[in-house]
Amino acid sequence: MQIRVGVYICKCGTNISENIDIDELIQFSSRLENVAYVKDQPLLCSEDGKNFLASDVAQEKPERVVIVACTPKEHEKTFRNTLLRADFNPYLFQMVNVREQVAWVTADKAAATEKAKAYIRAAVKRVTLHEPLEKKEIECNTDVLVIGAGPAGMEAALLLAKAGRKVYLVEKNSFVGGRVARYEEVFPKMECASCMLEPKMDEILHDENIELITSSEVVEVLGYLGNFSVKIKKRATCVDKEKCIGCGACYEPCPVSVRNEFDYHLSDRKAIHVPYTGALPNVPVLDQGHCLRFAKTDSAMVQEALDLGLITQEESENYKKQDCTACQEACMFDAITYDRQDEILERNIGCIIVAIGFELFDPSVLPQFGYGKIPEVYTGLEFERILSQTGPTGGKLFMKNGQEPRSLAIIHCVGSRDKKHKEYCSGVCCLYALKFARLAEKHAPGAKIYDIYADWCVPGKDNQEFLDSLKEKKNVYFIHTNLPLSVAVKQNKDSLSVSCVDVSGKENPLAADMVVLCPAIIPARDTSRLSEMLLITSGRDGFFAEGHTKLAPVSTNIEGVFIAGCCQGPKDIQGSVAQGAAAAGQVLSALVPGRKLELDVIIAEADENSCAGCMTCIGLCPYKAIMFDKEKKIAVVNTVLCKGCGTCVAACPSGCLTGKHFTEEQIFAEIEEVLK
Amino acid sequence: MCTGRIDPQFVLKAFQSGADGVLILGCHPGDCHYKEGNYKALRRFHLLKRVVKQFGVDEGRLRLDWVSASEGEKFVEVITDMVATVKKLGPLTTAKEELRVG
C-alpha cells in the first residue's frame, strides 16, 4: 500500500549545499518508494522556512514527512511544532541529519552525497512505519509532603502554606525544630536559638494549611510527580493532643527513669515525657519501648534498654512488666489512653521535599580522642546540651562531677578532611567551635580554653570578625596543627591531658578538664532508606545528590522530589533555610493548581496477549515503572513513570514490549536501508 | 533513547545487512540520562561479543565505548581507530547468511 511521504531538504544556507549535491538528492529521493514529492528550501528553520513548511504540508497533505537537515537535537522540536500548526501529527515525521553527520564531516562531495542518500533511504523507509502518537495530559495533585521539621523543612512548609498549598509535615521526633532545638545560641551574633526558632515553630503549629504529623515516618512512596501516594507510620504516643494541655502532671508519678536521648543520655527522663521544657508541640509522649505496661517480655525490654545504655544493670532490677496506670491517674483531663496502636496514615500529594538533616560522625572510631571511654570527652552536640538552659545542667557549664571546668580543649576536624574517614570539610565546625569558646568563656570565667584547629574555614558575613574578636581574648589559646590532627587525649588520675603537635612540630602537652570534639557532619541515618524508597540517588559521601551542583541544588534525579538542608550536604542554618525556600519555589512552579501535567509520549508499552510474565523487565526498569499484574500474570507499564529509555524493550524475551517511536520494525528497517 | 535500548538483534541485523563493523557509543558509566541504561548495554555487549565470535565474526568488528557530548576529540579518536581496525580486517564475507535475524 502506498503511503504518501513528503521530503523536505534544507540547504542550511550553504552549510549543507556546499558539501552535498542537493539536485542529486532530490532526484534520488523522488525515485524512492512511497515518496510523493521532494522540495528544497534555503533555510527551513527560519521564519520563512517554517511558514513554507506549515502551509505546504497543509496543502500537500502528505501522510508522512521527512526533513533532511541538521541534528534533531537542534530542530526536531522546532519542526514538530511547525507540523502541528499544519494539523499534522508530529510523530509521523522523521529527521535526517546530513549536516553534523555528513556535510561537516565528510570532505569528499561525492562520498557525502552517497552517504546522505543512504540516510534518506533509511528515513523514508522508517517513517512509513511510524504511528501517530498523541500527547496526554493528566490531572495532578498540588499538595506537598515535607519530610523533616528542622529549619529547612519548616521554611519550606511555611512558604508553601502561605501560597495556599496543603502541606503534610512529617517529623520522626515528637517535636519540631530539628537539631537547632538543642542549641542555646547560634553563631556569629550569638542570638538566642529558641527565641529565633519559636515564632516559626508556633506558625507551623497554627497554620491551617499545615498538617503536622510528629512521631512519624514515611514508610511507602508510590507514584510520580503530581500523583504520589504515601504511607506514613505514626507511632502510638497514647496521649490525646486535643485533650492534653501540657501541664506535665503525668511525668512525676512515672516509675520508669531512662536516659534522655534528646540530651544524648546526659540527663534522665520518664517513660512519659517531653524531650525538653519548651518542646513544641507541648504534648508528652508515652515511650512504649520503656513503659512497664508495654514491655513485650521483661527480659527483652530490659536487655534492649541495657544495650542502648539507657539503664544500668542495677537499675534493670526495677523493670518488671506491670499494669502501671500512674500517668493516667495523674492526668486531670483523661488525655492518656493505653489502647492506642501505631497507625498508618495515607496521603496523596504531588511533590515531596526531603529535609531530614544530619548526624555526627562517631568519634569513638578514632580512639586517640578518647570518646566513649573518657567521661569528660564530649561531641559538639552533647556540649550544646550542656550549654542549654533546658539541658542536663540547666545551662551551667559543669562537668559530670558537678564542678565548673578550669580548662577546656576544643578539637576541630574530627573525622573531617581525613582521607581515611570523611574527606570533605563539614563547613560549620570552625564557627561553632568559636561559639563554644565564647560561651565557655562566659560560663566559666577565667577558664583556659584551647582551640586546636588545622585551618580556618569561616567564609560569609560577620564570621571573620567573630574569629578575630576571639583572638583578642586572653584566655583563649589557638593551637594550629597539621592534618590529620596529631592529638591524643589521655585520662590521668584526676584530670585529662591533651597532647598535640603544632605546625612547627612542637609538642604541646595541655591539661584540660573537659574536651569537646567537632566531628564530621554525616548523612542522617534515614538517608539510605529514603534514597531507596524515593529512588533518589546519593553522592559519594552518602548525602542526597542534587540535580546539578551549581544550577539545580535542590532538585534530584526524580521529578517532583526535592532536597533541602543538611541532607544535601553540610551547611549552616542560614543555608538550610535558603534551600528550604528554594525547594518551596521549585514545588510552586512544578505544579500549579488547575494546570495539567503533560506526559512523555515516547514510552514502552506491553502487549498483554504476548507477555509471558517472566518479570525480566521489572527488575531492569530504573524508574520502577513496570508493575506485575498478579491476576493476569503480566507486566504493566505505568505510562506516567516510564521515561522511554527502552532498556526493558531490548531485554523482553517474548517481544511483548514495544518502545514507541523506536519499535523493532522501525529500527530494523533503518538498519537495512542504510546498509543497502 | 539510550544504549540500554540496543537489542543485540540490532547488531546482528547490521552485520547481516552488510556492515563490516558495528560501533556502539554510549554515555559514560554514572552519566546515563536514564540512570543505568549504559550498564545494561555493557552487560549485553559482553554476551553479544561471544555470540558474534561464534558466527566467525572477528572481535574487532564490534566495539562499545563511552563518549560524552563534550568529548569531540575522543569521538574522533574512537571513530578513526574503529575505521582503521575494520579496514585492516577488510570486508566481512563469512557468516553473513548465518546471521539471519528479525
Side-chain angles (χ1 to χ4, degrees):
Chain A
M1 198 182 74
Q2 188 82 12
I3 295 174
R4 278 172 53 80
V5 180
V7 179
Y8 295 89
I9 302 175
C10 172
K11 292 178 179 166
C12 192
T14 54
N15 272 302
I16 292 171
S17 55
E18 202 170 55
N19 230 0
I20 296 175
D21 188 333
I22 302 291
D23 290 337
E24 206 181 320
L25 284 195
I26 296 175
Q27 281 184 23
F28 170 81
S29 309
S30 2
R31 285 196 302 269
L32 288 171
E33 199 189 341
N34 289 318
V35 170
Y37 61 90
V38 185
K39 296 182 183 182
D40 66 327
Q41 273 289 301
L43 195 63
L44 206 57
C45 64
S46 66
E47 279 313 305
D48 285 351
K50 286 188 285 186
N51 289 338
F52 163 78
L53 180 64
S55 62
D56 198 63
V57 167
Q59 205 183 327
E60 292 273 7
K61 301 203 185 317
E63 288 165 286
R64 301 287 189 275
V65 166
V66 168
I67 293 176
V68 181
C70 56
T71 164
K73 285 256 172 224
E74 196 161 322
H75 282 308
E76 190 174 51
K77 227 179 187 170
T78 314
F79 296 137
R80 276 188 183 155
N81 288 337
T82 311
L83 290 169
L84 263 178
R85 274 164 50 191
D87 240 354
F88 184 88
N89 187 295
Y91 296 93
L92 295 176
F93 143 67
Q94 177 71 5
M95 209 168 158
V96 184
N97 179 3
V98 294
R99 194 179 69 178
E100 282 82 351
Q101 290 183 355
V102 184
W104 284 353
V105 291
T106 306
D108 178 67
K109 194 166 181 175
T113 308
E114 284 310 305
K115 199 170 154 191
K117 282 183 194 171
Y119 288 2
I120 294 172
R121 191 170 55 220
V124 167
K125 182 78 186 187
R126 185 194 209 278
V127 85
T128 57
L129 300 166
H130 280 200
E131 281 177 28
L133 303 177
E134 297 296 338
K135 283 206 168 169
K136 270 194 230 156
E137 284 182 330
I138 51 159
E139 299 279 348
C140 56
N141 184 325
T142 55
D143 297 348
V144 188
L145 169 73
V146 179
I147 310 174
M154 290 201 302
E155 182 69 16
L158 282 173
L159 287 175
L160 289 164
K162 269 184 199 158
R165 296 299 177 88
K166 177 77 195 171
V167 179
Y168 303 103
L169 178 58
V170 173
E171 168 57 51
K172 74 170 189 297
N173 292 307
S174 61
F175 58 92
V176 297
R179 299 272 177 197
V180 184
R182 290 173 160 94
Y183 306 164
E184 181 67 19
E185 290 179 16
V186 292
F187 63 75
K189 294 193 169 166
M190 306 307 281
E191 269 172 274
C192 159
S194 59
C195 314
M196 172 184 87
L197 214 56
E198 265 160 28
K200 288 244 170 201
M201 298 182 355
D202 201 60
E203 273 184 73
I204 292 276
L205 297 186
H206 295 109
D207 196 305
E208 283 183 356
N209 284 331
I210 299 176
E211 184 188 343
L212 174 64
I213 309 171
T214 53
S215 301
S216 300
E217 53 186 12
V218 177
V219 290
E220 188 183 282
V221 177
L222 292 174
Y224 38 85
L225 171 67
N227 290 278
F228 287 105
S229 69
V230 295
K231 284 189 180 152
I232 300 157
K233 186 178 170 191
K234 184 164 175 58
R235 289 191 301 279
T237 58
C238 299
V239 182
D240 186 338
K241 68 173 192 224
E242 305 304 328
K243 289 184 181 166
C244 173
I245 63 153
C247 67
C250 51
Y251 325 145
E252 210 46 50
C254 176
V256 178
S257 179
V258 291
R259 306 280 176 272
N260 188 356
E261 348 20 26
F262 185 83
D263 282 339
Y264 303 103
H265 301 180
L266 295 169
S267 69
D268 290 342
R269 64 161 172 87
K270 296 301 182 71
I272 190 162
H273 67 288
V274 286
Y276 70 102
T277 316
L280 289 175
N282 181 21
V283 178
V285 175
L286 183 98
D287 164 17
Q288 294 192 354
H290 297 101
C291 173
L292 302 178
R293 298 184 61 85
F294 293 95
K296 288 185 195 84
T297 64
D298 289 354
S299 56
M301 179 192 74
V302 171
Q303 197 52 49
E304 199 187 324
L306 276 169
D307 291 346
L308 290 167
L310 298 175
I311 51 170
T312 62
Q313 194 69 48
E314 206 175 298
E315 284 168 325
S316 71
E317 295 306 310
N318 303 328
Y319 294 86
K320 300 277 182 249
K321 184 180 170 91
Q322 52 178 274
D323 197 18
C324 173
T325 53
C327 53
Q328 198 177 43
E329 284 162 32
C331 179
M332 290 163 272
F333 303 94
D334 293 330
I336 301 171
T337 40
Y338 298 123
D339 57 357
R340 290 289 171 89
Q341 304 283 326
D342 289 356
E343 278 177 273
I344 298 286
L345 311 175
E346 290 183 33
R347 296 287 182 273
N348 295 318
I349 42 135
C351 276
I352 300 174
I353 297 175
V354 187
I356 57 167
F358 69 96
E359 313 260 342
L360 287 186
F361 170 79
D362 176 10
S364 62
V365 172
L366 300 163
Q368 66 267 36
F369 295 109
Y371 180 77
K373 295 246 162 66
I374 304 171
E376 290 306 318
V377 178
Y378 300 91
T379 66
L381 284 174
E382 289 165 0
F383 197 62
E384 295 278 5
R385 291 313 296 150
I386 294 176
L387 296 168
S388 169
Q389 303 233 7
T390 61
T393 55
K396 301 224 163 30
L397 177 48
F398 286 157
M399 297 184 289
K400 291 203 170 94
N401 64 9
Q403 289 184 358
E404 205 172 81
R406 299 314 306 147
S407 53
L408 177 93
I410 302 166
I411 304 173
H412 295 226
C413 295
V414 173
S416 302
R417 305 173 69 215
D418 183 336
K419 284 204 163 56
K420 283 193 190 141
H421 301 283
K422 305 290 163 194
E423 272 196 74
Y424 53 87
C425 167
S426 294
V428 291
C429 326
C430 284
L431 285 156
Y432 78 66
L434 291 170
K435 171 182 87 173
F436 287 162
R438 166 70 67 87
L439 286 169
E441 200 222 352
K442 190 170 103 185
H443 286 277
K448 285 187 169 167
I449 297 154
Y450 303 106
D451 188 300
I452 302 166
Y453 71 102
D455 290 298
W456 286 112
C457 171
V458 291
K461 281 197 259 186
D462 303 313
N463 294 338
Q464 185 64 41
E465 290 94 314
F466 185 46
L467 168 60
D468 293 340
S469 72
L470 273 145
K471 281 186 174 165
E472 285 164 17
K473 302 278 178 190
K474 264 202 319 225
N475 293 336
V476 183
Y477 303 90
F478 291 102
I479 301 159
H480 188 188
T481 63
N482 283 322
L483 277 167
L485 295 178
S486 43
V487 179
V489 182
K490 283 210 179 78
Q491 175 82 63
N492 302 324
K493 214 171 170 196
D494 17 65
S495 71
L496 300 185
S497 68
V498 181
S499 64
C500 61
V501 181
D502 67 20
V503 280
S504 67
K506 200 176 95 189
E507 188 156 338
N508 295 270
L510 313 166
D513 290 336
M514 264 179 138
V515 172
V516 181
L517 307 176
C518 306
I521 284 180
I522 61 168
R525 236 168 261 139
D526 251 5
T527 307
S528 52
R529 189 180 69 89
L530 281 172
S531 172
E532 268 175 42
M533 196 189 298
L534 294 160
L535 304 174
I536 55 176
T537 47
S538 300
R540 196 164 52 121
D541 301 312
F543 295 102
F544 292 129
E546 59 281 338
H548 186 281
T549 327
K550 306 261 185 277
L551 303 175
V554 298
S555 305
T556 67
N557 56 318
I558 297 289
E559 270 186 298
V561 179
F562 302 94
I563 46 176
C566 283
C567 62
Q568 181 263 339
K571 60 181 62 65
D572 59 8
I573 299 169
Q574 139 188 27
S576 294
V577 171
Q579 281 202 337
Q586 292 283 357
V587 169
L588 289 177
S589 53
L591 298 176
V592 179
R595 198 192 283 171
K596 286 184 177 175
L597 209 62
E598 199 173 276
L599 304 182
D600 280 338
V601 289
I602 300 176
I603 56 169
E605 197 177 47
D607 170 29
E608 63 175 271
N609 295 321
S610 52
C611 174
C614 71
M615 296 198 248
T616 305
C617 53
I618 292 174
L620 284 173
C621 178
Y623 301 96
K624 293 203 181 166
I626 311 178
M627 322 292 163
F628 189 67
D629 183 330
K630 281 182 190 147
E631 272 178 27
K632 292 186 181 167
K633 297 199 169 55
I634 51 163
V636 181
V637 181
N638 180 316
T639 54
V640 182
L641 291 182
C642 177
K643 295 278 168 272
C645 67
T647 297
C648 58
V649 183
C652 178
S654 58
C656 88
L657 284 161
T658 308
K660 286 189 185 173
H661 209 58
F662 289 94
T663 66
E664 213 138 272
E665 296 71 37
Q666 290 165 2
I667 294 172
F668 275 164
E670 214 172 353
I671 294 173
E672 256 174 38
E673 294 299 314
V674 89
L675 290 165
K676 221 174 206 172
Chain B
M1 265 280 275
C2 172
T3 44
R5 173 66 184 100
I6 296 179
D7 187 324
Q9 291 188 88
F10 298 165
V11 176
L12 299 178
K13 181 82 180 174
F15 279 127
Q16 190 218 357
S17 306
D20 296 317
V22 175
L23 176 59
I24 305 165
L25 295 179
C27 304
H28 285 274
D31 278 351
C32 180
H33 174 72
Y34 297 108
K35 297 201 219 178
E36 48 199 37
N38 46 9
Y39 290 107
K40 308 278 161 52
L42 181 64
R43 272 155 48 177
R44 289 170 193 152
F45 172 75
H46 285 308
L47 287 172
L48 180 62
K49 233 177 160 174
R50 285 163 62 176
V51 173
V52 164
K53 240 168 107 178
Q54 285 172 11
F55 280 111
V57 176
D58 191 281
E59 269 189 276
R61 294 188 189 273
L62 176 59
R63 177 169 171 180
L64 169 71
D65 218 318
W66 315 124
V67 182
S68 83
S70 60
E71 293 179 317
E73 265 179 51
K74 184 171 178 197
F75 180 73
V76 171
E77 204 178 284
V78 172
I79 301 276
T80 312
D81 190 59
M82 180 74 185
V83 170
T85 309
V86 174
K87 272 193 176 158
K88 213 168 147 193
L89 290 167
L92 175 64
T93 49
T94 55
K96 229 175 253 180
E97 281 306 300
E98 288 174 46
L99 288 164
R100 199 169 293 130
V101 287

